[in-house]
Amino acid sequence: MTVCAQKSYVFIDIRNRQDQQNYPVTQDSVPDAYAKDIAGVLLSQQDILHGLSAVSARINQDVQSLSNSQGIVLVTVLHGAMIFSADLMRRLYFPFQTDSVAVSSYEGIQSTGSYQVKKEIGHSIFGKDVIVVEDIVDTGGTLDFLIRHIEAKNPASLRTVALLDKVDRRKQQFAHIKADYTCFVIPDVFVIGYGLDYIGHYRGLPFVAVKKD
Ligand code: XMP
Ligand code: MG
């Protein structure tokens, strides 16, 4: 049986932050064609750095309890988590292999509710300690699917990390689903940037923004 992290952590809940849509978009790296689609910056580069510090410190500490590890595999959920995962892995001070998985579930801004593995994990994770890195938990369906998909491969343990969680959007059937480590709980808005996309665009923005309707 797979052993999961004992406790789950939420580092920063910004749902009640007053200024959440009032940051000006001042970064030079925003193309004009994108700037007009941004309603506001939800998480600045500085905010993201705080989240990364908090989550990496906790994971570095928790991984020390895996004294008999047969190896740790960090699985990035493509494509949304690629930037978060790249930043996170450079703050992890233990040996690990990297891999990735891609699950399709989302068409435009509406979740379809059916899940499919589009790109399978390459390594054998049997008997290994797995850390899954996700961009965002929304209805909870993708994370629920991924947990079941990975547990079927019999890893020694499974930990899940999410940059963002839109807790208020959780479907009732997935009410129990949350990442073991969540950097930011955010309000129910559609977000882009820092890896998150709208039909493939905006992933390269260095902050998390709210998309204009
Ligand atoms: P579920 O509903 O399965 O959704 O928890 C998780 C997946 O949906 C995508 N998603 C988003 N992508 N901005 C995005 O760019 C968003 O606000 C958003 N909400 C959900 C995402 O791919 C995630 O893995
Ligand atoms: Mg996406």
Side-chain angles (χ1 to χ4, degrees):
M1 203 193 86
T2 304
V3 181
C4 290
Q6 298 278 301
K7 216 179 141 195
S8 59
Y9 299 90
V10 171
F11 297 102
I12 303 161
D13 186 335
I14 63 157
R15 281 177 297 176
N16 297 320
R17 203 168 71 181
Q18 296 303 311
D19 64 348
Q20 60 183 259
Q21 305 212 7
N22 295 329
Y23 282 99
V25 178
T26 53
Q27 282 86 349
D28 297 336
S29 52
V30 179
D32 290 345
Y34 282 178
K36 66 175 178 23
D37 299 332
I38 295 173
V41 176
L42 193 65
L43 298 170
S44 66
Q45 296 185 67
Q46 200 59 39
D47 294 330
I48 294 169
L49 287 176
H50 284 135
L52 282 165
S53 299
V55 74
S56 58
R58 188 71 248 171
I59 295 172
N60 281 320
Q61 194 165 326
D62 289 357
V63 160
Q64 289 176 16
S65 67
L66 301 173
S67 50
N68 287 323
S69 183
Q70 303 284 315
I72 299 173
V73 186
L74 186 134
V75 177
T76 303
V77 184
L78 298 175
H79 295 88
M82 62 187 175
I83 294 178
F84 172 49
S85 191
D87 280 346
L88 175 65
M89 68 175 79
R90 285 175 287 178
R91 290 171 172 78
L92 299 179
Y93 303 128
F94 49 84
F96 56 86
Q97 292 172 291
T98 55
D99 212 317
S100 60
V101 67
V103 177
S104 72
S105 68
Y106 227 68
E107 300 292 335
I109 61 169
Q110 282 299 313
S111 180
T112 61
S114 68
Y115 304 94
Q116 211 184 338
V117 174
K118 281 274 164 98
K119 189 251 159 216
E120 187 51 283
I121 299 169
H123 293 91
S124 167
I125 57 168
F126 177 83
K128 302 220 175 139
D129 295 296
V130 174
I131 301 174
V132 169
V133 185
E134 251 287 30
D135 55 353
I136 182 165
V137 183
D138 184 341
T139 64
T142 305
L143 189 59
D144 171 68
F145 172 82
L146 267 173
I147 290 170
R148 287 185 289 109
H149 179 72
I150 291 174
E151 286 193 334
K153 297 173 186 289
N154 288 307
S157 69
L158 173 59
R159 287 172 168 73
T160 53
V161 189
L163 173 68
L164 308 174
D165 190 343
K166 287 193 218 173
V167 149
D168 302 328
R169 291 245 319 155
R170 200 72 90 253
K171 276 191 183 157
Q172 208 179 349
Q173 74 203 94
F174 304 125
H176 58 292
I177 294 291
K178 60 175 181 249
D180 298 310
Y181 307 92
T182 301
C183 286
F184 299 97
V185 172
I186 62 167
D188 177 12
V189 286
F190 193 80
V191 285
I192 51 176
Y194 196 65
L196 291 117
D197 73 310
Y198 176 65
I199 44 180
H201 280 281
Y202 311 107
R203 291 196 200 276
L205 294 174
F207 47 77
V208 175
V210 178
K211 190 181 170 300
K212 258 189 205 156
D213 291 331

